[in-house]
Amino acid sequence: MKFKSVVMDDAAFLRAITRGAHQIIEKNENADNLVLIGIKTRGVPLAKMLAEKIYEIENTKVPVGVLDITLYRDDLADENQDPKINSSEIPFDVNGKIVVLVDDVLYTGRTVRAAMDAVIKIGRPSKIELFEMVDRGHRELPIRADFVGKNIPTSHSELIKVNVKEQDGKYNIEIYDK
């Protein structure tokens, strides 16, 4: 991979999280019936950041869960695929809740479809919404994010990397050529 540029620096990254928290609250009128579920790996710290911002704004603690979608992916039948199974941690009831799935990059839509399948298998939320830090286009499924940190049109030969301090030591978004 060849580094091209930083498309969102630390300050813009944190503003996007704050904006996303406000949008989630506004769309749902408050945070009382919300739960956030981060899709492993980078969706988890993003969900925690959103929950902290929602608490700052609304003084309401929003539960945060961790979702591993490995078993729900539709590409596991491919040869040479040996999935590493991690565990989901959703220590709350999703029935009747507004579930906001949180992920780093929306590309084909397949990860989100797998995440929705996993959530529906554990309960019946009143609604499922989607926060994506980056929407890069190129959908293969009819899925769109309700809340987007940044739209970054890309070519198929480019890669978007969302960096979070917990895993990468910094907050930013970078673009690479494959």
Side-chain angles (χ1 to χ4, degrees), residues 6 26 31 45 50 54 68 76-77 83 97 100 110 134 136 143 149:
V6 172
E26 288 170 15
L50 286 166
I54 290 170
D68 178 7
L76 288 181
K97 298 290 187 183
V100 180
R110 293 184 181 281
V134 175
R136 64 172 287 189
I143 290 174

Side-chain angles (χ1 to χ4, degrees), residues 10-11 19-20 26 39 46 50 55 57 62-63 70 81-82 101 112 114 127 133 135 143 153 161-162 173-175:
D10 182 271
R19 184 175 59 253
E26 288 170 15
I39 300 170
L46 294 172
L50 286 166
Y55 181 75
I57 298 163
V62 176
T70 305
Q81 291 287 330
D82 185 19
L101 291 172
V112 176
K127 184 175 11 174
M133 194 63 183
D135 184 342
I143 290 174
K161 175 103 182 339
V162 174
I173 299 172
E174 301 168 337
I175 190 165

Side-chain angles (χ1 to χ4, degrees), residues 21 93 126 171:
D93 189 7
S126 65
Y171 292 125

